[in-house]
């Protein structure tokens, strides 16, 4: 072909304009191109170029943080990283293709489930994205039946803390979300009007000493503890708006307090909704959000999903993952 006549550096430059999918197709044409398209420098370029635009990442697919920080050395990096494999593992499109290629037993599963009476899975939803954004995620969830159908009126289920709202996913599976706010609605409105930070009443701080440094540790209040003991998973709504300041270390400490294995069954899934108010707002990419929150420190399944409060874009993808993980956990 005409491409064969170019020097290698010219070939690499041309290949950098192809999509990763087209590059893989090119690699299937001959032994030469199979080797050429696996160039680590090329796939590192694709990885660093595309990952800010990916809308989800999970505990199995998040790229190692060293990939972002290290300068490329063709000898050392080629030995340490297979960038092509990292890209395929991390790319949401590849994950969806792998998922769709697996055999589905939906009809059998639905029949078996119909023989067993199961309670609706319950999830505790909390986080600054519930309170700091200009558009209310919860209000939108309550008023968009074409996206998410409300299947049960709000009711206080756990000793007066949070509102338990039942939803119906894809006109089939019902689930319940207990929304936990850090303080009262009056205090939240006052804090927003004064552009101040409201005191979070869900947690109390316990200081401990690690080495020579003082570490911040949180515990949940008694009412929230009762919620954590009975839910099947957690939804953390993170504020992903890039123009605002965020204390991710503080957020991690509160996440760890909620998912403390002493408060309930281990390995309950955590869905992080990386949320902005509306489309077009500059956001923190979900891969960066995962590293900022240090989710790699967690021992249970987690997923970060880009979400838009005004349109609920991305929400159903996150809910689908959470229901599947909770279902697998209950089956085990």
């Amino acid at each position: 072909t005409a491409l064969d006549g170019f020097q290698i550096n010219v070939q690499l430059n041309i290949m950098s304009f192809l999509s990763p999918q087209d590059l893989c197709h090119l690699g299937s044409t001959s032994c030469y191109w199979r080797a050429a398209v696996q160039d680590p420098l090329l796939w590192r370029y694709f990885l660093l170029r595309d990952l800010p635009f990916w809308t989800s990442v999970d505990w199995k697919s998040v790229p190692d943080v060293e990939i972002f920080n290290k300068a490329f050395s063709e000898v050392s990096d080629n030995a340490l990283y297979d960038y092509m494999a990292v890209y395929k593992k991390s790319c949401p499109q590849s994950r969806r293709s792998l998922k769709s290629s697996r055999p589905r037993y939906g009809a059998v599963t639905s029949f078996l489930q119909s023989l067993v009476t199961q309670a609706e899975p319950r999830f505790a939803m909390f986080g600054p994205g519930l309170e700091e954004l200009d558009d209310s995620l919860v209000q939108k969830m309550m008023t968009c039946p074409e996206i998410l159908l409300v299947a049960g009126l709000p009711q206080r289920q756990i000793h007066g803390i949070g509102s338990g709202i039942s939803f119906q996913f894809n006109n089939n599976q019902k689930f319940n979300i207990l929304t936990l706010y850090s303080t009262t609605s009056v205090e939240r409105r006052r804090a927003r009007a004064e552009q101040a930070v409201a005191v979070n009443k869900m947690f109390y701080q316990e200081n401990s000493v690690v080495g020579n440094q003082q570490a911040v540790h949180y515990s949940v209040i008694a009412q929230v503890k009762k919620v954590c003991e009975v839910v099947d998973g957690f939804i953390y709504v993170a504020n992903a708006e890039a123009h605002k300041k965020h204390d991710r270390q503080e957020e991690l400490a509160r996440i760890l307090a909620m998912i403390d294995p002493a408060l309930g069954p281990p390995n309950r899934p955590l869905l992080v909704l990386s949320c902005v108010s509306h489309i077009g707002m500059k956001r923190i990419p979900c891969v960066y959000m995962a590293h900022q929150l240090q989710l790699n420190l967690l021992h249970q399944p987690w997923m970060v999903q880009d979400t838009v409060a005004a349109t609920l874009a991305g929400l159903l993808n996150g809910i689908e993952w959470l229901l599947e993980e909770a279902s697998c956990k209950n089956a085990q």
Side-chain angles (χ1 to χ4, degrees), residues 111-131:
F111 172 73
L112 294 176
Q113 288 179 341
S114 67
L115 301 179
V116 182
T117 302
Q118 293 182 327
E120 296 178 9
R122 287 190 288 187
F123 307 108
M125 184 163 68
F126 66 107
L130 291 176
E131 307 174 20

Side-chain angles (χ1 to χ4, degrees), residues 103-145:
R104 303 180 70 89
Y105 307 101
V108 177
T109 302
S110 299
F111 172 73
L112 294 176
Q113 288 179 341
S114 67
L115 301 179
V116 182
T117 302
Q118 293 182 327
E120 296 178 9
R122 287 190 288 187
F123 307 108
M125 184 163 68
F126 66 107
L130 291 176
E131 307 174 20
E132 297 175 355
L133 303 181
D134 294 333
D135 293 274
S136 170
L137 178 67
V138 174
Q139 184 176 357
K140 195 68 177 179
M141 291 170 63
M142 293 286 294
T143 56
C144 285

